[in-house]
Amino acid sequence: MKILFFIAALSLLALTLPLAIASDPSPLQDFCVGVNSPAAGVFVNGKFCKDPRAVSGDDFFFSGLNRAGNTNNGVGSNVTAVNVNNLGGLNTLGISLVRIDYGPNGQNPPHTHPRATEVLVVQQGTLLVGFISSNQDGNRLFAKTLNVGDVFVFPVGLIHFQFNLGQTPAVAIAALSSQNPGVITVANSIFGSSPDIDANVLARAFQMDVNAVRNLQGRF
Ligand SMILES: *[C@@H]1O[C@H](CO)[C@@H](O)[C@H](O)[C@H]1NC(C)=O
């Protein structure tokens, strides 16, 4: 009887013990190559922490998101980012912000944030937005037309875009779930890498003529 009670108590304990979940920390930058000696130069995964006694309100402050970025460029948009690189107080907090300006018919071209989900709200204009799910999900396009005040979420890592349907400028603000979300613009990354990816690789991947690939590589 005593032993039964003991076993019952033990199994109850096992059930109520908190689960130990071990995992690697999430990367806060593109890469952080390990070195064996600090003499080789040390960077942490993220940023160093400022001495708390030297911290002031200014460390949590950024000014200027009222100003429009210049959209006079190839894609007709401009992203003004507020992340740990220009607002140090965001370090370790897992959040950041962007303002996106779109010229008439401008677009924020297909891109992905390797470290962040993004939630966007339209401040001005009308945007066609969308993201594509992964191969496993069949590369489905999820798209919506957004007007002022409308909100849309782009899940972490998925390729997404915004396109200004209007003949006037548009503006959106977006929050991202990383202090340093990173951005990979598909066209620039694939056709504008340095050095170039062998054109034969891209010709096969995109099922297109190798000269067309070289033409694209010349543009980025
Ligand atoms: C975005 O706008 C800023 C401010 O006008 C400008 O300095 C920057 O060159 C623009 N970036 C692009 C990619 O056009």
Side-chain angles (χ1 to χ4, degrees):
M1 190 61 203
K2 244 185 190 156
I3 191 89
L4 266 183
F5 179 76
F6 180 66
I7 290 170
L10 208 67
S11 23
L12 204 68
L13 194 69
L15 280 176
T16 52
L17 274 178
L19 282 175
I21 299 170
S23 73
D24 287 339
S26 302
L28 300 176
Q29 57 207 10
D30 278 359
F31 43 74
C32 185
V33 180
V35 290
N36 291 324
S37 146
V42 173
F43 293 85
V44 294
N45 183 26
K47 301 278 183 192
F48 297 108
C49 302
K50 192 172 184 174
D51 182 345
R53 288 166 301 186
V55 169
S56 73
D58 281 345
D59 289 307
F60 305 97
F61 174 79
F62 177 95
S63 182
L65 270 202
N66 57 321
R67 284 194 294 277
N70 183 355
T71 60
N72 194 8
N73 54 47
V75 290
S77 76
N78 193 310
V79 179
T80 309
V82 185
N83 56 41
V84 72
N85 299 309
N86 54 9
L87 177 46
L90 288 171
N91 194 33
T92 74
L93 297 182
I95 194 168
S96 60
L97 204 61
V98 290
R99 169 188 172 126
I100 312 165
D101 289 282
Y102 311 84
N105 289 143
Q107 63 163 280
N108 188 8
H111 65 280
T112 157
H113 305 289
R115 293 176 288 278
T117 288
E118 171 175 352
V119 57
L120 176 144
V121 55
V122 179
Q123 304 279 83
Q124 182 186 318
T126 302
L127 298 177
L128 169 67
V129 306
F131 68 84
I132 302 115
S133 67
S134 69
N135 297 8
Q136 185 184 316
D137 187 67
N139 300 127
R140 288 191 293 160
L141 170 68
F142 296 87
K144 283 289 283 186
T145 298
L146 306 183
N147 294 299
V148 173
D150 290 349
V151 173
F152 198 80
V153 61
F154 306 103
V156 58
L158 300 185
I159 293 173
H160 59 282
F161 63 88
Q162 301 105 34
F163 173 63
N164 177 8
L165 294 172
Q167 297 306 314
T168 54
V171 184
I173 298 284
L176 297 114
S177 63
S178 167
Q179 66 180 41
N180 186 26
V183 55
I184 298 166
T185 305
V186 177
N188 302 54
S189 184
I190 297 289
F191 295 106
S193 68
S194 56
D196 278 344
I197 300 173
D198 187 317
N200 293 299
V201 172
L202 296 181
R204 192 86 189 259
F206 286 84
Q207 300 282 295
M208 60 196 280
D209 183 75
V210 72
N211 290 316
V213 169
R214 294 207 173 96
N215 179 283
L216 282 173
Q217 285 178 320
R219 292 164 188 261
F220 288 96

